[in-house]
Amino acid sequence: MSEDFFILVLLLSIKSINCIDCDLIFPLSQLPNNCTSMTGDIVIDGKNATTLLENHFQFPILQQKFMKIENWTGSIKIIHTDFQNLSFFKSLASVKTDFPGSSFDEDDIHNEMRYATFWIESNPNITSLGIPSLKQVTADVLPTIRTVYGFYLKNNAELCLSDSEFWMLRKMERSLLFGMKICGAVTKQYCYQSHFDHTNLPLGCQILLTGIWLNEIKNTSVQSYLNQAFATVEEVHGPIVIFNTDLTNLSFPLLHTIRNQFYDGQNDWQKQILNIRGNEFLTSLEFPKLTNWSHYGSEEQLTNSGNKIWNYSEPNCHLFRRIPFFSIKDPLSYCGLVPIINDGARTMRVIIQVAEKIASLAFNSVFCMFLCIKLFKCKITTSFYHLAMISYIFLTIVECLFVNLDFVFIFNDNNFAIPVGLRSIFLYRDQKLFNLISNVLYTNRLVLLLSCTLYRPMHLMRFGNWKKFALGSSVVVFFVANISNIFVIEFEEYKLTFAMFPLSVLLFLFSFISNACVCGAMSQIPEPFKNERAPQNLTSLSLFLQALFILIVGLFSEGLNHMFSSSPALVQQVRDFDYFFYFWGSTIMRWHYAIILLIQTAFISHTFVMFSVDDIPTPKPVSP
């Protein structure tokens, strides 16, 4: 036992000695020959002869420098080379990058792919990959980033993958293997179809390596051939698009899986899982064994419109209900409630998410009710301070309920945040209106609290001219904040926090100064009137705690995080925060209202206590 342990420790020590972490430098001749881990981005472009020579990208040098590398942190791009294989990466096991400093534009629907972790394209002489150890390629980006792939393999005319090699690469996260050739011993019959060319679809195909595009087919005589070709298809590695045809019935009797390799992007109709549109004579479309799909996008998986006769049969609806998170875009029928929840771990995950959202709404609703009850029991005057405070409390309640009903998401199998709140019911496509409502509520709540903070010391001390100044300042802040809010949401939506965060800071600073002044004034009150002092000090504490918590939530905001995205030193911190906010942002935003409501409820009986320094009699001088 002790000898085995000693040998194990010795082997691990030897391995650690041999492991060398390297940073990529150019030319490659400066690198040591025994690097086992590499950090950096490399682009080997065969069309750029000058770069190839200057950086020493010749095959023998690549073999010498990269042969022992097991882990690569960064991106690798190999295009337009005359390499016959990539055997210089024979030890490479994993590649990972987070694309630091890159900007991703989700609105750019004309670009199929902008970045990839491991990008191999247009190498006409490559016949095999020669990367037997590769197990993982990761694009470390948020699920909402649609134009990024992990392993990207395309347009390598002579490349041939083995059956096992294909499936190992295909199952990697965000991989694209479009139109690959499978060679050697195979377990299934592989084939592919060119875009919109239904005439080259072979019979007997089991694994279709591309999608199915049936577009503008007016000759119905091909229908029997298509059904014969589809009769053996078990998997499709792309979308199924049936658009503007005169076909009457189609069936996929053995199809059980659709693995779409494309991103949808702004409802680009070629990129969804199923797209069935404009088929006037279609009466039947069946997928009796379809049980699984994978998709990089967040759009509806089935788009149905303009099919005058075809609608969902009962077996179709039953099928769609069994597929996890299967959603339908159809102006006339939704085939029952979608998305649909499957059994097992997915169900438990969804139950937990739904339970948290119901609990948030329930707790916040109860807190709002208690706050209203206590507010109605308070003695309130018609002074500006009291009216502003009442408006602030009611606006907090309205904002709390609105956010708890609207800012609600369920994460699907691909970790896309699917809206299930108000915006999903009324305006699923246009979230700008709901963002504007939420931001207007938030802005005016802060302005009202700032008004109360500025006006309160003047109200207590009976400073007439200063009260007018505080009131005027509040009006100016109100107009500036709301105009900035509307401008930003209309033109620069993602920079909203840049406009709102200064308001949170201003509120916190004035709250600190104002409440400190009130506490200082209260400390000068004679001892016999100390009972008048306590409610005012507690109110100061309440207002300060609310301003502090608003500032903390403002610091947490997603938009503020992007203020630091241009700093190379903070790239990883910004990316980590993006992940955290993406998955937990809505939860924190909904639950933080509970804390504010609890603070308001705990101190509300003191908030409306009438008090003035004029009520304190001036002590008479003691005669000698």
Side-chain angles (χ1 to χ4, degrees), residues 37-110:
S37 178
M38 184 69 69
T39 300
D41 302 320
I42 186 170
V43 177
I44 304 176
D45 186 352
K47 287 186 175 181
N48 194 333
T50 302
T51 303
L52 291 178
L53 292 174
E54 289 178 352
N55 293 329
H56 297 176
F57 285 165
Q58 294 81 9
F59 195 88
I61 297 179
L62 294 172
Q63 278 190 314
Q64 183 183 16
K65 303 299 179 181
F66 293 164
M67 188 70 77
K68 297 181 180 180
I69 293 177
E70 299 176 5
N71 301 298
W72 190 294
T73 302
S75 61
I76 302 172
K77 185 176 183 180
I78 302 174
I79 57 175
H80 308 300
T81 70
D82 58 0
F83 298 157
Q84 295 183 0
N85 58 61
L86 307 180
S87 58
F88 47 83
F89 280 139
K90 75 171 188 177
S91 300
L92 187 63
S94 70
V95 187
K96 178 181 178 180
T97 188
D98 57 6
F99 301 101
S102 300
S103 61
F104 303 102
D105 183 7
E106 292 188 47
D107 294 328
D108 185 5
I109 64 173
H110 303 294

Side-chain angles (χ1 to χ4, degrees), residues 552-573:
I552 293 173
V553 174
L555 286 170
F556 171 78
S557 171
E558 177 188 28
L560 186 66
N561 182 51
H562 294 294
M563 294 177 67
F564 306 102
S565 60
S566 59
S567 172
L570 298 175
V571 165
Q572 190 56 50
Q573 288 80 357

Side-chain angles (χ1 to χ4, degrees), residues 2-258:
S2 59
E3 291 181 358
D4 292 340
F5 179 75
F6 176 77
I7 293 173
L8 178 62
V9 171
L10 181 62
L11 290 174
L12 291 174
S13 301
I14 294 173
K15 184 175 181 180
S16 63
I17 293 173
N18 292 330
C19 291
I20 298 180
D21 297 335
C22 301
D23 291 325
L24 188 64
I25 55 175
F26 303 107
L28 295 183
S29 56
Q30 300 179 24
L31 281 172
N33 296 337
N34 55 348
C35 295
T36 57
S37 178
M38 184 69 69
T39 300
D41 302 320
I42 186 170
V43 177
I44 304 176
D45 186 352
K47 287 186 175 181
N48 194 333
T50 302
T51 303
L52 291 178
L53 292 174
E54 289 178 352
N55 293 329
H56 297 176
F57 285 165
Q58 294 81 9
F59 195 88
I61 297 179
L62 294 172
Q63 278 190 314
Q64 183 183 16
K65 303 299 179 181
F66 293 164
M67 188 70 77
K68 297 181 180 180
I69 293 177
E70 299 176 5
N71 301 298
W72 190 294
T73 302
S75 61
I76 302 172
K77 185 176 183 180
I78 302 174
I79 57 175
H80 308 300
T81 70
D82 58 0
F83 298 157
Q84 295 183 0
N85 58 61
L86 307 180
S87 58
F88 47 83
F89 280 139
K90 75 171 188 177
S91 300
L92 187 63
S94 70
V95 187
K96 178 181 178 180
T97 188
D98 57 6
F99 301 101
S102 300
S103 61
F104 303 102
D105 183 7
E106 292 188 47
D107 294 328
D108 185 5
I109 64 173
H110 303 294
N111 205 337
E112 179 182 282
M113 193 274 293
R114 300 180 65 188
Y115 300 95
T117 304
F118 201 160
W119 185 342
I120 306 170
E121 183 177 8
S122 300
N123 301 281
N125 297 330
I126 191 170
T127 58
S128 64
L129 288 179
I131 318 177
S133 302
L134 189 63
K135 296 294 185 292
Q136 183 180 27
V137 177
T138 305
D140 187 17
V141 294
L142 287 174
T144 52
I145 304 301
R146 305 178 188 177
T147 54
V148 174
Y149 281 95
F151 192 84
Y152 187 88
L153 197 60
K154 189 176 181 181
N155 295 337
N156 302 285
E158 300 300 321
L159 178 61
C160 203
L161 302 178
S162 68
D163 185 275
S164 59
E165 194 174 29
F166 170 79
W167 286 108
M168 184 270 293
L169 297 174
R170 185 64 188 89
K171 292 178 181 179
M172 288 182 180
E173 181 184 0
R174 292 176 176 251
S175 64
L176 185 140
L177 312 174
F178 189 79
M180 290 294 100
K181 291 187 293 185
I182 312 299
C183 303
V186 295
T187 56
K188 298 287 184 178
Q189 182 65 38
Y190 296 87
C191 57
Y192 66 93
Q193 179 208 0
S194 299
H195 281 52
F196 304 116
D197 186 2
H198 61 276
T199 61
N200 65 357
L201 187 63
L203 299 178
C205 179
Q206 294 174 292
I207 308 296
L208 187 56
L209 298 176
T210 57
I212 296 175
W213 288 273
L214 305 179
N215 183 48
E216 300 284 350
I217 298 178
K218 303 302 180 181
N219 181 9
T220 57
S221 63
V222 303
Q223 181 170 279
S224 60
Y225 177 83
L226 291 175
N227 278 322
Q228 187 179 358
F230 297 150
T232 57
V233 175
E234 299 176 10
E235 288 199 21
V236 175
H237 289 241
I240 297 179
V241 177
I242 306 170
F243 177 72
N244 198 21
T245 73
D246 288 346
L247 301 174
T248 58
N249 63 83
L250 291 171
S251 179
F252 300 83
L254 300 181
L255 181 65
H256 57 75
T257 300
I258 302 176

